[in-house]
Amino acid sequence: MVKNIMIIGLCLGCIGLQRTIAQENIRPAEKKRVVSPEVHADNKVTFRIFAPQAQKLSIVGNWMDRNAFGGNGKQAMQKDGSYWSYTTEALPSDLFLYQIDIDGAVLNDPLNVYQVRDVSNTFNYFLTGGEQAALYKVQDVPHGTIAKRWYESPTLGSTRRLSVYTPPGYEAGKTKYPVLYLLHGMGGDEEAWPSLGRAAQILDNMIASGKIKPMLVVMPNGHVSNTAAPGESSRGQYPIDFFTPDVGSGKMEESFADIIGFIEHNYRVKKQKSARAIAGLSMGGSHTLFISSYLPNTFDYIGLFSAAFRMNEKAENAVFRDFDKNLKRQKDNGYRLYWIGMGKEDFLYKTGEQYRKMLDDIQMKYTYRESEGGHTWTNWRLYLTEFLPQLFQD
Amino acid sequence: MVKNIMIIGLCLGCIGLQRTIAQENIRPAEKKRVVSPEVHADNKVTFRIFAPQAQKLSIVGNWMDRNAFGGNGKQAMQKDGSYWSYTTEALPSDLFLYQIDIDGAVLNDPLNVYQVRDVSNTFNYFLTGGEQAALYKVQDVPHGTIAKRWYESPTLGSTRRLSVYTPPGYEAGKTKYPVLYLLHGMGGDEEAWPSLGRAAQILDNMIASGKIKPMLVVMPNGHVSNTAAPGESSRGQYPIDFFTPDVGSGKMEESFADIIGFIEHNYRVKKQKSARAIAGLSMGGSHTLFISSYLPNTFDYIGLFSAAFRMNEKAENAVFRDFDKNLKRQKDNGYRLYWIGMGKEDFLYKTGEQYRKMLDDIQMKYTYRESEGGHTWTNWRLYLTEFLPQLFQD
């Protein structure tokens, strides 16, 4: 008797599904047979969209030009019945972002659920084939854990959110691990490296292949006037303003010891200089530069990715006031790697050149890596894959 | 001298920003001054979009009708210059989803970065004011941790991903906690309860107000033919097919002890029946029903939210074959709460009625809660807030 009732339940369930409401939001199947984007074996990519009444559609992709999202760099889609499509040339091995321009409004591809926020906009993304993108994909290897945690910052007087990657085996093991502190740029937050940066995938894959040492990666929020990423704090769902008043205040640098303290108190990590690395992109590169000099005997590995060498002379704090002295102390204390990565077309290229000259003048050693391209996640992901194998190797 | 170079760096940085490329993707400021959606104090909501050449725009929202996303329930936007807008009537206190129909293509609001995937589509979302939605918002209260972890399932022969919520104070403390296993529906995965379900916010807020006991919440992936949510496994970024071959196979139920074993081995939790709860929505309600009878002396608290009472007679396993016997055993072993929630308009309403009659026939006690509405996240979030205060209270 019980079984009969169950079968009725099963059948009702099936009918329900046909009526599209197994869950709240099932789209009519008709629209779902079409795939977009489709990455072909030769790394050409086809986009498709259902838009029967639209006048003009284009794909706006970040491979087209560096400022693509201002309205340049579109490629027109071709109409075929109710559908429009466009196929690219073969693309490099990487993660790409795009949107669709539909009659002048730039929107996301409704057939591609894979979306990611970059600064104040959400984009569709896809990964192509090839060696570099393979590092960014989830592979069948042991996986670490990504946790979103909140820590107390006594210096700032606030409770703040960060992302922590712990390597495969961390929870069940007893080993103590080294730590990389990995900082985002002005438009980012504690979600940036785990999403656009593909940090967990890169770590999983490079640990699995033996190219890097297992380590924790701590990804804090570099805007001290926010406690968390947009939507993740009590500020709610506000329109994103990436230029926060804290930029250049020196407060991220002043309060950074709170983060190190939290991690070393809450995780099974090694607590010496030789087991600490810090790196960051753009504004996070500036943070890295000033944090590592403000705490001049703390990190053996320093990475500046497309760094903004920004200093706020007006800020009344030792981060900027004592910078010359701090940098000298950092140099005298010694370190194992001071790594600088910069793209040839980066708008910060000249500043970087001047900073390197300054390091030369005080005979402070560094490793310099100049790549193609500009101020892009393509470079920051690449730099991470090049920086990691140099850490904690003895 | 060092300082002078820094200042040059700062200025170059500012010029760079003006040119829109401090990071890769900064939109022209002109488009960004407009806010969409804007939730007013009276819970009316205004949507705005920049679409100078479009012919017809509508808002498609899940408050309009239950099947809104098939193309019904649109509300036309009004054009004013290059912008279009629409303002709703006052909405209830909840989280809502919407998209924009632009000349027949249904897409997302480019001014709203807050997006969430539901089944196989990504929607914009917003939260209104009021008491219920306040439970879904991040408030200034102590926050737990959400971790994405991978566990071994010997029964399935695979490594799988789950979400774990640990309550505030877990990491630094020594207390052992009870555990709620919280299961998603057919269109979901281990991301569903943490995103659409607002599980971490609900737990943080209700723990802070003292209404519920601190507990761990474990949110596994209920599709055993997948190892993780779309995009999070080595399958890559595939088009989502929610109707996986494992639905109704009984394998989730058969392998569930692997999850309990993993949690009890890896976390500081109480390991007795009185400290274990299980609940799920729709397919996850079915899982809950069969897991709790298949492991008939494991859970003291059982919650069926809009449950599909689905049984696969063909599946050659004890989950379905011995169901009558298992259920009887579960009844005889005893439990503290068997909670059933169902919406009056749910397409599974009749099946639920039959299942309750069956429980009556064997004199198996349950608590029944009938709500307005249908098979929706509005109900599942509500049920969670009603179910939680009844757990682990002695």
Side-chain angles (χ1 to χ4, degrees), chain A residues 21 25 67 69 103 115 118 375, chain B residues 21-22 25 67 69 115 118:
Chain A
I21 48 170
N25 289 311
N67 294 319
F69 296 100
D103 290 340
Q115 306 194 2
D118 187 14
H375 209 67
Chain B
I21 48 170
N25 288 311
N67 294 319
F69 296 100
Q115 307 196 1
D118 187 15

Side-chain angles (χ1 to χ4, degrees), chain B residues 156-172:
Chain B
L156 296 169
S158 58
T159 306
R160 311 187 70 243
R161 193 168 177 263
L162 46 71
S163 301
V164 185
Y165 170 88
T166 44
Y170 171 84
E171 290 89 351

